[in-house]
Amino acid sequence: MCGLVGIIGQSAVNQTLYDGLTLIQHRGQDAAGMATSNGKRIFLRKDNGLVKDVFRTRHMAQLKGKMGIGHIRYPTAGSDSRAEAQPFYVNSPYGIALGHNGNLTNAKFLERELFLNDRRQLNTASDSEILLNVFANELMSTLEMSKLRAEPKDIFKAVSDLMRRCHGAYAAVAMIIGVGIVAFRDACGIRPLAYGTKMGPKGESHMFASESVAMNVTGYSLVRDLSPGEAIFVGMDGSVHTAVCASETRRTPCIFEYVYLARPDSILDGISVYQTRINMGIRLGKNIKENWVNHDIDVVIPIPDTSRTSALEIAKVLDLPYREGFVKNRYIGRTFIMPGQTERKRSVRQKLNAISSEFKDQNVLLVDDSIVRGTTSRQLIDLAREAGAKKVYLASAAPPVRHPNVYGIDMPCRHELVANGRDVEEICKEVGADKLIYQNLDDLVAAVRECNTSIDAFDTSCFSGTYVTNDITEEYLDLVNINRNDASKLAQRSELDLSELTEVQEAVH
């Protein structure tokens, strides 16, 4: 999971890029980067860390120009060095910097193809560098040798050729030095990407961002989301050009964005994230009321922060008190992506602390947005019992997460998902709850679709195991399992010898 911001305007963009990245910092806390241009040169700064730590005053002063892109990244398997931070840059044609949110499902094939056919050498294991090189190669192939500047039709032809070659999920923003900025989204529209504008004293500025909140707070007005398979190109003169570059398109955004990833004050694909979480709570509350008539719940307590909205609606439906029972340390990151069970357990204990008075002698219904590994659930149930709860019930606003996400969310491998291979009773026993209630998938889809009935469908792959790109094989999922298991991640972080792992990966391919 990553976050993107791209701006082309009439004045320096460095501060607005910084502000935009800070507003979507929840999408990536591992690394941050910015690339800007004055039309002739590119200025680049990227490193591991939060936005506030990567960009000091001296760095901001060096990021000159009226055009730029920014990127934030969560840690993923094999992507722990500063070299993996984005944006990536190539110097031909013109000089192109690119940031990417998503995952190419045919990255290994493209890597070989780029080397053997296109004579391009990659310096990292990042599929974002692959995406950049495919785009650069296709743009080079499109241009006539005598042409000094690319025209919109050249840009769109390059994006069309890229979409023909690249499979999977990608929302991307690319800055072409002296030419402009182009943003594009994969044919299924899996990862979000929005477009907005702002009129200033010197003229109109244009912004692309992963979430609309980056525009709202920085003074931009949301125009619309990019359509699946669409590219929007803004030239140095401010002219705006659009084209659908994919041969076949279908709007199937990732439903997990609404469950967990996005900020509640964002609007993605015309859908209010906040409203979807209200709807999830109402539907889950009705489910509990209808199927557990004689419940003995005394109080509803959310597991902060994402589940608060749903928990409040559950309490209303059940006519029960809503209480805040956990205090959160906001300086600890999200835990389901952290490598290593020991590190993850330690982080959960540091992250949340119970208010004993809200648990003592109560039958408590804890509400979470989703349950991935079960690590957090187990520890919070233990905390609730230690704080004096008589019984601890657990409700999830999302269905059981049984399958890996292959479209840009670095979820654990299958055997590390607590719901994989277990029924609800077994999961309940595993996390130590007295009762476990899940949202059902149809209700989740309905809760989100209520906000925009024009959506064709949603990618629900982590719940259903159905992958909307229709190209995910068991062999590919086996490779995902190899790369994402805790042992692999810890080995990569410790720079251990991965020769045996490499052999297995090659065998799978």
Side-chain angles (χ1 to χ4, degrees):
M1 183 178 73
C2 300
L4 294 169
V5 179
I7 302 172
I8 181 168
Q10 307 302 317
S11 57
V13 299
N14 54 355
Q15 185 61 54
T16 309
L17 283 172
Y18 178 97
D19 294 341
L21 290 177
T22 302
L23 289 162
I24 57 171
Q25 182 77 83
H26 59 284
R27 299 189 68 88
Q29 300 174 13
D30 183 58
M34 261 194 254
T36 63
S37 175
N38 59 4
K40 296 180 180 179
R41 292 183 58 194
I42 186 170
F43 307 94
L44 179 65
R45 165 67 180 168
K46 58 181 183 177
D47 204 346
N48 290 342
L50 300 174
V51 173
K52 67 180 180 63
D53 299 320
V54 171
F55 302 106
R56 302 293 186 177
T57 302
R58 64 184 184 276
H59 304 128
M60 295 294 288
Q62 295 166 359
L63 292 165
K64 304 172 185 177
K66 302 176 183 179
M67 174 172 69
I69 61 175
H71 185 274
I72 46 175
R73 188 197 70 200
Y74 250 115
T76 56
S79 301
D80 295 311
S81 74
R82 68 182 62 184
E84 304 283 346
Q86 297 183 43
F88 286 106
Y89 171 75
V90 292
N91 63 6
S92 179
Y94 306 117
I96 305 172
L98 178 142
H100 160 229
N101 176 30
N103 181 56
L104 300 183
T105 55
N106 64 334
K108 288 295 182 182
F109 171 80
L110 289 169
E111 182 179 1
R112 290 193 296 270
E113 192 176 60
L114 281 167
F115 181 74
L116 295 174
N117 299 342
D118 302 329
R119 302 296 188 265
R120 286 182 173 266
Q121 173 63 40
L122 301 175
N123 293 317
T124 71
S126 172
D127 63 334
S128 302
E129 189 186 9
I130 292 172
L131 190 71
L132 168 60
N133 275 272
V134 171
F135 177 66
N137 186 75
E138 297 305 329
L139 182 57
M140 179 72 84
S141 300
T142 298
L143 294 170
E144 299 173 9
M145 294 300 294
S146 60
K147 187 175 287 188
L148 294 177
R149 284 288 174 265
E151 298 176 7
K153 65 178 182 179
D154 302 317
I155 306 295
F156 294 141
K157 175 64 166 58
V159 175
S160 295
D161 291 338
L162 175 149
M163 290 186 175
R164 175 178 48 79
R165 295 177 65 179
C166 297
H167 303 163
Y170 44 89
V173 182
M175 175 176 67
I176 310 170
I177 311 307
V179 177
I181 282 184
V182 59
F184 53 91
R185 196 175 179 194
D186 70 78
C188 292
I190 298 170
R191 299 263 72 86
L193 190 59
Y195 166 63
T197 60
K198 178 174 71 172
M199 184 59 70
K202 297 181 180 180
E204 193 171 42
S205 296
H206 307 264
M207 176 187 276
F208 300 96
S210 294
E211 294 188 31
S212 63
V213 66
M215 299 176 185
N216 303 145
V217 181
T218 55
Y220 282 77
S221 298
L222 174 65
V223 175
R224 62 181 178 86
D225 298 273
L226 273 72
S227 298
E230 183 185 24
I232 298 180
F233 170 66
V234 183
M236 298 297 291
D237 60 356
S239 59
V240 180
H241 311 266
T242 68
V244 175
C245 298
S247 56
E248 296 181 8
T249 64
R250 186 168 179 248
R251 190 180 292 271
T252 55
C254 174
I255 205 164
F256 208 70
E257 289 278 354
Y258 304 96
V259 170
Y260 175 75
L261 299 182
R263 273 180 53 149
D265 47 347
S266 284
I267 296 174
L268 309 180
D269 284 300
I271 297 172
S272 162
V273 175
Y274 180 72
Q275 185 61 51
T276 65
R277 292 175 185 169
I278 289 176
N279 296 345
M280 290 174 205
I282 292 171
R283 287 179 175 271
L284 185 53
K286 288 180 178 178
N287 181 4
I288 296 170
K289 190 172 185 177
E290 292 170 5
N291 295 295
W292 191 10
V293 178
N294 297 317
H295 71 77
D296 59 351
I297 304 167
D298 295 316
V299 63
V300 178
I301 293 178
I303 296 172
D305 285 319
T306 321
S307 63
R308 282 193 169 107
T309 308
S310 295
L312 182 57
E313 296 306 315
I314 291 172
K316 287 180 182 177
V317 171
L318 298 179
D319 194 22
L320 290 170
Y322 168 94
R323 293 288 186 270
E324 292 286 340
F326 293 107
V327 176
K328 183 176 182 180
N329 178 353
R330 300 184 181 280
Y331 302 98
I332 300 292
R334 290 172 168 177
T335 53
F336 81 80
I337 295 175
M338 288 184 176
Q341 196 71 354
T342 302
E343 181 178 346
R344 198 174 298 113
K345 286 180 179 178
R346 184 171 62 250
S347 294
V348 171
R349 285 280 181 167
Q350 292 173 341
K351 182 177 178 179
L352 293 167
N353 189 45
I355 302 173
S356 297
S357 59
E358 298 302 330
F359 290 94
K360 187 172 177 56
D361 299 326
Q362 300 287 299
N363 295 333
V364 177
L365 176 65
L366 300 182
V367 180
D368 208 348
D369 51 71
S370 58
I371 304 168
V372 181
R373 294 177 184 266
T375 307
T376 300
S377 302
R378 279 192 296 273
Q379 293 198 61
L380 293 182
I381 288 167
D382 288 345
L383 276 175
R385 295 193 193 282
E386 290 168 13
K390 290 193 297 183
K391 293 181 181 178
V392 184
Y393 307 122
L394 179 63
S396 169
V401 177
R402 301 187 188 277
H403 309 274
N405 182 289
V406 301
Y407 297 130
I409 306 172
D410 194 39
M411 281 185 176
C413 65
R414 273 181 291 196
H415 75 267
E416 291 169 353
L417 297 169
V418 70
N420 184 258
R422 295 187 177 99
D423 61 25
V424 174
E425 288 186 5
E426 291 170 329
I427 302 166
C428 183
K429 184 177 180 180
E430 183 69 19
V431 300
D434 292 294
K435 188 177 181 65
L436 174 60
I437 308 104
Y438 277 107
Q439 183 88 264
N440 105 26
L441 183 55
D442 288 342
D443 279 345
L444 174 62
V445 171
V448 183
R449 190 188 291 280
E450 282 178 35
C451 301
N452 185 353
T453 56
S454 69
I455 299 293
D456 295 326
F458 293 93
D459 169 57
T460 61
S461 54
C462 58
F463 308 120
S464 64
T466 300
Y467 296 91
V468 295
T469 54
N470 297 319
D471 61 350
I472 304 303
T473 63
E474 281 301 315
E475 290 77 15
Y476 182 83
L477 292 175
D478 287 342
L479 180 64
V480 169
N481 288 336
I482 292 169
N483 284 333
R484 291 188 183 175
N485 69 71
D486 279 343
S488 172
K489 289 182 180 179
L490 288 172
Q492 290 175 54
R493 282 178 174 247
S494 303
E495 296 183 352
L496 298 178
D497 182 5
L498 294 180
S499 58
E500 292 183 7
L501 177 63
T502 303
E503 290 175 7
V504 175
Q505 292 173 331
E506 290 175 351
V508 170
H509 272 287

